[in-house]
Amino acid sequence: MSRQLRTSIREYCRENPGLVKNRYRGLHPLAGHCYHASEAYFHETGGYDAWEVLRLQHEGTTHWCLRDRDSGKIFDITVEQFDTVPDYDTATATGFLTKDPSYAAQEILNVVTE
């Protein structure tokens, strides 16, 4: 399910530029979607038991992704928006800004988990 979920989240983000701030529109279709895409995946696949939330600076913007707590592997659902691969060693472990899914993450989950 996780590969299908990842694909569905990416597709939804690409098709819904209204989820991102104006400054990201007209750039790569996944630009600006890293927070709510990662958050949606996180909430659907185990939350803090399964994932560590990471935040870093890359190519002039804040970027969000996940690290698997068991394997340590990085899960970056929107990495293809960048010209270069982020240096995940510079990431800070953090949490999402809200306990429950944000409006955008919930919108994604409402559609992709039907």
Side-chain angles (χ1 to χ4, degrees):
M1 173 180 158
S2 62
R3 179 169 282 160
Q4 181 181 358
L5 178 62
R6 179 179 63 223
T7 299
S8 296
I9 290 171
R10 280 188 188 132
E11 183 177 308
Y12 187 81
C13 288
R14 280 186 182 104
E15 294 171 358
N16 290 277
L19 291 177
V20 299
K21 295 177 181 176
N22 286 337
R23 70 176 179 246
Y24 295 110
R25 295 183 190 167
L27 302 175
H28 188 280
L30 291 177
H33 288 285
C34 60
Y35 181 89
H36 48 262
S38 295
E39 185 188 16
Y41 193 86
F42 166 91
H43 281 289
E44 190 63 22
T45 60
Y48 288 107
D49 290 338
W51 301 104
E52 185 174 30
V53 179
L54 302 177
R55 184 181 67 225
L56 63 138
Q57 291 295 313
H58 187 67
E59 294 183 7
T61 192
T62 300
H63 184 59
W64 297 76
C65 59
L66 305 170
R67 179 172 29 225
D68 184 288
R69 287 199 181 273
D70 292 332
S71 70
K73 290 184 181 179
I74 299 295
F75 181 78
D76 192 345
I77 198 164
T78 64
V79 69
E80 66 190 72
Q81 70 180 292
F82 295 119
D83 294 327
T84 60
V85 176
D87 180 1
Y88 299 108
D89 291 337
T90 67
T92 301
T94 188
F96 287 113
L97 302 175
T98 58
K99 180 183 174 197
D100 296 321
S102 65
Y103 174 82
Q106 190 60 60
E107 183 176 326
I108 293 167
L109 288 171
N110 289 345
V111 172
V112 303
T113 60
E114 289 182 340

